[in-house]
């Protein structure tokens, strides 16, 4: 995932999380907010409960790889993915499928929101 597609700044993370639109799954918490830039961006947060720095960085690399596989960065929203400890108990393929289902649910919610306007 290229740097231009990442949410890096703390205030950007905070603004997306404070929007309070989220979706929870067993391995992820998926916060989203309509995008302000020309491309959709994704931020990844891995807490210390998942392990030491080496383990957390490995999880971040895996999640970035999943995001590259699932996103085309033309989505209508910016995303923050918070990784939960259950992530490590599941296989890569299970986590990928869970992230894919979460993304589809968010897209469905976005379409419903546009129809109501």
């Amino acid at each position: 995932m290229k740097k231009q597609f990442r949410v890096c700044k703390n205030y950007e993370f905070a603004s997306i999380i404070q929007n309070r639109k989220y979706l929870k799954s067993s391995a992820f918490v998926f916060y989203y907010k309509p995008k302000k830039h020309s491309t959709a961006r994704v931020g990844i947060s891995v807490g210390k409960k998942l392990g030491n720095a080496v383990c957390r960085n490995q999880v971040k690399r895996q999640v970035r790889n999943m995001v590259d596989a699932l996103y085309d960065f033309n989505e209508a929203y910016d995303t923050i993915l918070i990784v939960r400890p259950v992530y490590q108990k599941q296989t890569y393929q299970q986590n990928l499928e869970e992230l894919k289902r979460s993304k589809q649910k968010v897209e469905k919610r976005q379409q419903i929101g546009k129809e109501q306007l």
Side-chain angles (χ1 to χ4, degrees), residues 23-28 30 62-63 65-67 69-71 81 87 90-106:
L23 181 76
K24 289 183 181 179
S25 65
S26 62
F28 300 101
F30 200 102
Q62 287 177 354
V63 173
N65 194 1
M66 289 180 206
V67 168
L70 295 177
Y71 279 70
L81 291 171
Y87 177 90
Q90 297 177 351
T91 64
Y92 178 85
Q93 197 62 33
Q94 289 171 325
N95 289 323
L96 181 63
E97 288 299 318
E98 189 170 333
L99 185 59
K100 184 186 250 182
R101 280 192 305 271
S102 297
K103 183 177 180 285
Q104 289 170 348
K105 286 180 184 178
V106 168

Side-chain angles (χ1 to χ4, degrees), residues 10 20 62:
N10 190 25
R20 298 184 193 267
Q62 287 177 354

Side-chain angles (χ1 to χ4, degrees), residues 1-96:
M1 187 167 64
K2 293 183 180 179
K3 266 223 165 159
Q4 65 186 5
F5 301 133
R6 293 186 196 170
V7 177
C8 296
K9 303 290 183 182
N10 190 25
Y11 68 89
E12 293 173 333
F13 269 83
S15 72
I16 294 171
I17 291 172
Q18 286 173 355
N19 191 36
R20 298 184 193 267
K21 290 187 178 180
Y22 64 93
L23 181 76
K24 289 183 181 179
S25 65
S26 62
F28 300 101
V29 180
F30 200 102
Y31 285 92
Y32 58 96
K33 180 181 179 181
K35 66 181 179 182
K36 292 183 179 177
H37 299 280
S38 60
T39 60
R41 298 175 311 144
V42 178
I44 301 167
S45 176
V46 180
K48 288 186 176 182
K49 288 183 180 180
L50 264 74
N52 61 11
V54 174
C55 183
R56 292 193 308 269
N57 287 332
Q58 180 184 12
V59 169
K60 281 190 264 187
R61 283 193 302 273
Q62 287 177 354
V63 173
R64 271 192 228 116
N65 194 1
M66 289 180 206
V67 168
D68 277 338
L70 295 177
Y71 279 70
D72 58 357
F73 299 101
N74 290 328
E75 289 79 12
Y77 52 87
D78 290 337
T79 306
I80 300 293
L81 291 171
I82 298 176
V83 181
R84 293 175 145 185
V86 175
Y87 177 90
Q88 290 181 314
K89 295 178 183 171
Q90 297 177 351
T91 64
Y92 178 85
Q93 197 62 33
Q94 289 171 325
N95 289 323
L96 181 63

